[in-house]
Amino acid sequence: MIKKLAVIAALLILHSVQVLAQMPTTEATIIVEAEKISSQEIEASRSAVVLDEVAIKLKRPSSVADILRDIPGIEVVRQGSIGQTTTVFIRGSKSESTLVLIDGAVANDIMAPSSGYDFSNLSPNSIARIEVYRGPQSVRFGAGALGGVINIVTKEGSGPLGLDYLVEGGTYETYRVALGLNGSSRDFNYSLGTEGFKSTGFSAAGSSSSLEKDAASVASVSSKLGYKFNSTTKVEATLRYADAEVDLDRGGDASSDDPNYDSE
């Protein structure tokens, strides 16, 4: 009886081994991406918003601040007329708690009292992608990202030489002219842009016609050059320059109107 039980047990063990050997094996798939976040993460996380170049053009914004203003959880504050200091607050946090990156470089002004970033002179015409992360992101992006992160990626040239231009006008005698060149040649790519903006604006001290209007004039130049050594290595250089002259008032009432108070 004992021998029969031992034979049956041995047959059962052998059968189990054969079944396990015939079962198909599965291999884990690892996806490696060069983006800040993958599309799967975007769908799963409501704290992240990504706008590509098509979405940005559909909004027809006059500034990057206009794009950010439409995103839930973000408050954009401009201190007066067109061209004046514009700051962003994410989910009620301080402006210095928002980390701003442009092509991977920290854009926050460390010399400013709040160490925030002024969006008043940042043009949307040279931007290819905007990523917004709402909420604490210090683990991923380091210090300064307690409130959130705004990651801006500028356009990269590709293909034959291309020309982009923009001419527009609006109220307060506002005019904007922009010109951009981009393309690539073998392993070298380039993107160059320039923009001029001018507006008579309105007075932050009140709506009376006797008050001096707070005019703004901005000229900016941007460029992005890149060279690809091989499939895994490339180098990029970016340049951004803006020259702005903006009229200011000393307060929000008629007595604060000052024709000689401006900022450059």
Side-chain angles (χ1 to χ4, degrees):
M1 183 67 179
I2 295 176
K3 291 183 178 180
K4 290 183 178 180
L5 291 176
V7 172
I8 294 173
L11 291 173
L12 289 175
I13 293 174
L14 179 60
H15 179 70
S16 299
V17 172
Q18 292 177 346
V19 171
L20 290 174
Q22 295 174 359
M23 291 180 63
T25 58
T26 58
E27 297 181 358
T29 301
I30 300 176
I31 301 175
V32 179
E33 298 189 7
E35 302 292 339
K36 286 290 183 180
I37 57 177
S38 66
S39 58
Q40 289 85 354
E41 289 182 88
I42 297 172
E43 294 175 358
S45 176
R46 295 183 179 179
S47 64
V49 176
V50 177
L51 298 174
D52 58 13
E53 188 175 353
V54 175
I56 293 173
K57 287 184 177 180
L58 288 176
K59 291 180 176 292
R60 302 183 64 84
S62 59
S63 66
V64 174
D66 292 337
I67 301 173
L68 299 175
R69 188 176 284 111
D70 294 334
I71 299 177
I74 293 184
E75 182 181 2
V76 179
V77 177
R78 187 177 68 193
Q79 301 177 3
S81 182
I82 301 171
Q84 297 191 20
T85 303
T86 305
T87 51
V88 172
F89 305 88
I90 299 180
R91 290 184 173 177
S93 63
K94 299 179 180 179
S95 60
E96 58 264 35
S97 298
T98 298
L99 179 65
V100 180
L101 304 174
I102 300 180
D103 289 328
V106 177
N108 293 61
D109 186 1
I110 59 174
M111 300 300 294
S114 63
S115 298
Y117 179 76
D118 182 8
F119 285 86
S120 61
N121 299 325
L122 184 59
S123 170
N125 295 317
S126 61
I127 294 176
R129 181 183 177 95
I130 297 178
E131 302 172 0
V132 178
Y133 305 86
R134 295 165 294 190
Q137 304 290 332
S138 297
V139 174
R140 181 183 298 178
F141 293 94
L146 183 61
V149 176
I150 299 175
N151 183 41
I152 299 173
V153 181
T154 59
K155 294 179 181 179
E156 181 177 309
S158 63
L161 175 64
L163 172 66
D164 297 322
Y165 63 90
L166 172 69
V167 178
E168 62 182 12
T171 55
Y172 304 112
E173 298 180 19
T174 301
Y175 305 97
R176 184 191 305 273
V177 179
L179 178 66
L181 296 173
N182 60 82
S184 63
S185 177
R186 295 185 178 180
D187 297 326
F188 175 72
N189 64 80
Y190 54 90
S191 179
L192 308 171
T194 182
E195 179 176 324
F197 170 83
K198 189 172 184 180
S199 176
T200 58
F202 56 87
S203 177
S207 57
S208 175
S209 59
S210 62
L211 298 176
E212 179 237 4
K213 295 181 179 180
D214 299 333
S217 178
V218 181
S220 62
V221 177
S222 63
S223 66
K224 185 175 184 179
L225 307 176
Y227 184 81
K228 185 176 181 181
F229 293 95
N230 50 53
S231 59
T232 60
T233 306
K234 71 176 181 177
V235 61
E236 289 184 343
T238 60
L239 170 68
R240 304 188 68 84
Y241 173 79
D243 183 13
E245 182 176 355
V246 182
D247 293 339
L248 304 174
D249 288 325
R250 300 185 181 276
D253 52 57
S255 61
S256 302
D257 185 41
D258 189 348
N260 301 315
Y261 186 35
D262 57 19
S263 174
E264 294 185 359

